[in-house]
Amino acid sequence: MTTMTSDLAHGEGLPPELDPARPLVASGNLRRRHVVSTFFSSLAVLATAFAVAVMVIVLWTVVSRGGSVISWDFLTKAPPLFGCAGGGIGRAIAGTGLIVAIATAIAMPLGILIALYTSEFASPRARSFIRLVLDLLNGLPSIVIGIFAFGLLVAGHHQSAFAGSFALSIIMLPLIARASQESLAQVPNGLREAANALGVGRRQSVLGVILPSAMSGILTGTILAVARAAGETAPLLIVSSIYKGSYSFDFFGSAIPNIPVEIFRLSESADPAGYERAWGAALVLVIFILATSVLGRMLFARSKAKASR
Amino acid sequence: MARPRLRISDRVGDRLLLSATGLASAIAVLLLVLIAWQVFKGSGTAFHKFGFGFLTGTTWKPNFNQYGAGTLLFGTFVTGVFALFLAAPIGIAIGLYLSLMAPPRVRAIIGPVVEMLAAIPSVIIGFWGILVLAPFLVKHAEPQLHSTVGFIPLFGLPQTNGASMFAAGLILTIMVIPIVASISRDLFDTVPRELQEGASALGATRWEMIRGVMLPTTASGLAATSFLGLGRALGEAIAVTQVIGAGTKINTSLYETGDTLASRLANQFQNATDQLQTSSLFYLGALLLIIGLGSNLLAQWIGRRFAVQKAHA
């Protein structure tokens, strides 16, 4: 505006701004606004670049330092005897697999049942209450769940892998239940009505029609919960970490080795040789977790594509 | 007119399904109650001995039966707020980028990459923190900050070791960013297109559209997200324990060591020697439980107010 009046003031005839062939360029106040906008936009790009860079640096460190450690022996052998070189994390891998598998076996059916209750049976008030409870469970620090499992199952007895599975299942439960709820909500109401119109009971319509069509979303949620539980360290540190010498796989009677606690112990010790093994274990864990997350996402994308078709 | 009746096996089946699902839901509710009860019960001995003075006491000497959570509350608060102050703006900026600016193909790649940062286990981030990040901070970042803004007591003289509240705060920032980013992206995606296009049609630049439309419509959702992130940061045990250095004093400088509630719990629980120590650690757990539930409820409450406002609009 200001430029135009000033040009008009000292110009005879038409100001040069009105030349129709001249490209449109912001000037004055508008230019300042564009500069401000570009500045903030580039901050947003910068923030995103920062997060991606952190991700890349962490992954690159784990891969470059852990990659040289990984070998067949490392993945399958028992840890080295005190002071010896070599040895692996075979038992820890098996232990984590077992603990997470049992946790899933506890949390998955329970989570699906909760989701079925809230989406098919519950009154709106009960639904929002249970949703709140699940959110609160999800928001509890994992170490609090660890000391809960300790107080319930370990105090007065001894550490056990089962207590670890129990604690992990509490962490997985809200994740699976919420994912299942969302997946059940995606089931078109037409399906429910069609089942009702056929005159079948609720049990048949729920178990025969509604649950199967929500299954891929439920599986995705479970896979993501497994990825989360596999790396959870704090509860296992409290209920399944003292396994020196006791390498029996006595699931209910003793702690069993597992990858997260192994990494934690090696990282807390001052022995650089231990660090190497910790990087190796970290790489194994990261590969497992990223692979399961990607698998879960792919499954989710496929089921979404199917649903929209 | 008689209603068509289900066969008896169907009716029994319906009942069974209803009670199984209802029972499962009751278990979830019971679980939450049981967790609270167990944690409070465990802290009983310490509560009887120290009462609420536990919250302000700054000595933690297992050998002298002296326990207090003051230092830990301080450390928890400082690292959590530090992480939130960095992570909330960065996370929201990422949400804005992904929701408004990124081309669909970039969004499809970067969105999951940022979310996967949240999937990396805390024990690995902490391990990376103590071996890679902390040495870098001590050698480069901390002296730099000290020489430029050293007049603020927060940025004192760098310590030798690298384990510090500063490192812990940064590690927590890294862990909170993906949470804030992915939720705020989803929030921005819910802002009606007409509002965004209306602002653009009135000649608003992108930043003016963000400031005038996107941020005000999502403000309470963003606040709720930040509280969720804060709750996560306050409760994180493992990664913090690895980088914070288990300090026992309250220091004004961020470069000194410190400790948090969760970190002390992770650090000492296995080695607790007597009942009073275990009970004091349970007391810390009870404080964490209250903080966790509190931040979550606050986030829920803000989020609900947000939903109500939207319904009225």
Side-chain angles (χ1 to χ4, degrees):
Chain A
M1 269 314 211
T2 46
T3 50
M4 212 171 178
T5 46
S6 68
D7 278 330
L8 275 177
H10 61 79
E12 297 105 342
L14 284 177
E17 272 86 352
L18 292 187
D19 174 12
R22 191 171 162 269
L24 283 166
V25 185
S27 58
N29 187 33
L30 183 58
R31 179 181 300 173
R32 191 184 57 78
R33 287 164 58 202
H34 274 312
V35 168
V36 169
S37 181
T38 314
F39 171 72
F40 282 105
S41 301
S42 40
L43 280 190
V45 176
L46 216 64
T48 312
F50 171 75
V52 173
V54 168
M55 178 74 182
V56 169
I57 291 172
V58 172
L59 278 189
W60 183 78
T61 317
V62 172
V63 170
S64 66
R65 300 212 185 168
S68 57
V69 185
I70 296 226
S71 64
W72 183 246
D73 278 0
F74 181 74
L75 294 179
T76 53
K77 287 230 167 111
L81 293 171
F82 188 73
C84 294
I89 56 164
R91 285 170 193 280
I93 292 175
T96 282
L98 186 65
I99 291 175
V100 174
I102 302 287
T104 313
I106 299 171
M108 191 178 173
L110 213 54
I112 295 176
L113 284 176
I114 294 172
L116 280 178
Y117 180 73
T118 53
S119 73
E120 306 298 323
F121 299 109
S123 64
R125 282 185 76 175
R127 184 180 310 160
S128 64
F129 176 67
I130 290 169
R131 198 164 282 184
L132 175 69
V133 167
L134 290 175
D135 283 345
L136 290 179
L137 271 179
N138 190 29
L140 285 182
S142 57
I143 193 141
V144 171
I145 291 170
I147 62 172
F148 163 65
F150 177 90
L152 197 70
L153 298 171
V154 177
H157 312 276
H158 24 71
Q159 288 196 331
S160 72
F162 173 70
S165 290
F166 176 72
L168 291 189
S169 73
I170 299 176
I171 291 170
M172 295 173 79
L173 182 68
L175 301 174
I176 296 177
R178 286 309 299 262
S180 306
Q181 276 177 354
E182 269 157 41
S183 183
L184 284 167
Q186 301 289 318
V187 175
N189 258 330
L191 273 183
R192 292 190 177 87
E193 284 155 13
N196 287 343
L198 288 174
V200 299
R202 277 311 269 290
R203 175 184 58 107
Q204 274 168 317
S205 79
V206 167
L207 296 185
V209 178
I210 297 166
L211 188 58
S213 43
M215 212 55 207
S216 63
I218 295 175
L219 276 181
T220 302
T222 308
I223 289 172
L224 292 179
V226 165
R228 165 90 190 275
E232 206 47 77
T233 316
L236 292 181
L237 187 68
I238 286 179
V239 298
S240 179
S241 61
I242 306 175
Y243 44 77
K244 219 187 236 166
S246 69
Y247 282 124
S248 66
F249 265 59
D250 177 3
F251 190 72
F252 290 95
S254 71
I256 62 178
N258 55 80
I259 302 180
V261 171
E262 196 69 23
I263 298 174
F264 183 74
R265 293 210 316 185
L266 291 169
S267 81
E268 292 287 276
S269 72
D271 172 20
Y275 288 164
E276 263 178 38
R277 304 203 312 125
W279 285 118
L283 180 57
V284 171
L285 190 57
V286 161
I287 288 174
F288 173 76
I289 285 169
L290 291 191
T292 42
S293 310
V294 169
L295 181 78
R297 265 163 211 290
M298 274 165 45
L299 211 70
F300 185 63
R302 240 187 52 188
S303 72
K304 233 181 169 178
K306 225 196 250 168
S308 65
R309 228 187 296 147
Chain B
M1 219 176 83
R3 283 182 64 224
R5 307 223 18 203
L6 293 166
R7 272 179 302 158
I8 187 122
S9 65
D10 276 349
R11 272 188 288 156
V12 172
D14 288 2
R15 271 287 160 73
L16 274 178
L17 183 65
L18 177 61
S19 25
T21 57
L23 188 70
S25 307
I27 288 177
V29 178
L30 198 69
L31 203 55
L32 189 61
V33 176
L34 209 60
I35 290 173
W37 179 73
Q38 188 79 45
V39 171
F40 282 114
K41 192 187 76 164
S43 56
T45 313
F47 187 76
H48 276 300
K49 187 154 177 0
F50 304 115
F52 290 107
F54 187 78
L55 304 179
T56 49
T58 53
T59 48
W60 184 280
K61 289 183 176 154
N63 297 338
F64 300 93
N65 279 338
Q66 270 302 317
Y67 299 97
T71 323
L72 309 173
L73 280 169
F74 172 79
T76 307
F77 179 76
V78 169
T79 52
V81 169
F82 176 72
L84 189 68
F85 265 98
L86 278 180
I90 294 177
I92 291 171
I94 295 173
L96 282 171
Y97 174 76
L98 291 176
S99 177
L100 291 180
M101 297 155 67
R105 297 181 70 175
V106 176
R107 179 187 158 121
I109 296 171
I110 293 190
V113 166
V114 172
E115 277 174 26
M116 275 186 194
L117 188 56
I120 296 183
S122 54
V123 68
I124 293 177
I125 299 214
F127 185 41
W128 175 80
I130 196 63
L131 287 192
V132 180
L133 180 67
F136 169 80
L137 291 179
V138 164
K139 238 185 262 159
H140 304 287
E142 292 181 7
Q144 198 73 35
L145 273 172
H146 178 66
S147 58
T148 47
V149 286
F151 58 88
I152 308 170
L154 285 178
F155 303 100
L157 276 172
Q159 302 298 302
T160 49
N161 173 320
S164 61
M165 294 205 287
F166 188 58
L170 284 180
I171 287 293
L172 288 177
T173 307
I174 291 173
M175 299 177 71
V176 174
I177 284 176
I179 300 173
V180 178
S182 69
I183 303 182
S184 61
R185 179 201 54 196
D186 294 348
L187 276 172
F188 292 136
D189 282 349
T190 64
V191 176
R193 272 218 87 89
E194 304 89 74
L195 287 182
Q196 302 176 30
E197 281 161 8
S200 302
L202 287 174
T205 61
R206 185 187 278 138
W207 164 245
E208 287 160 355
M209 192 261 283
I210 289 171
R211 218 190 52 176
V213 175
M214 304 299 280
L215 295 182
T217 36
T218 53
S220 25
L222 293 177
T225 310
S226 305
F227 273 107
L228 279 185
L230 181 66
R232 195 36 68 81
L234 296 177
E236 174 54 41
I238 296 295
V240 172
T241 236
Q242 282 165 301
V243 298
I244 204 168
T248 50
K249 282 201 217 79
I250 290 182
N251 293 304
T252 46
S253 171
L254 288 175
Y255 300 155
E256 303 275 354
T257 58
D259 216 348
T260 70
L261 297 168
S263 153
R264 179 65 53 92
L265 200 46
N267 216 355
Q268 294 201 345
F269 201 88
Q270 303 177 71
N271 311 320
T273 44
D274 57 14
Q275 219 243 324
L276 185 63
Q277 188 176 6
T278 306
S279 182
S280 301
L281 289 166
F282 261 98
Y283 201 155
L284 300 183
L287 295 177
L288 273 177
L289 182 87
I290 292 168
I291 292 173
L293 292 181
S295 62
N296 220 299
L297 283 172
L298 202 60
Q300 297 267 346
W301 180 72
I302 297 173
R304 195 159 306 156
R305 249 189 49 182
F306 170 58
V308 170
Q309 276 175 357
K310 258 191 137 174
H312 280 292

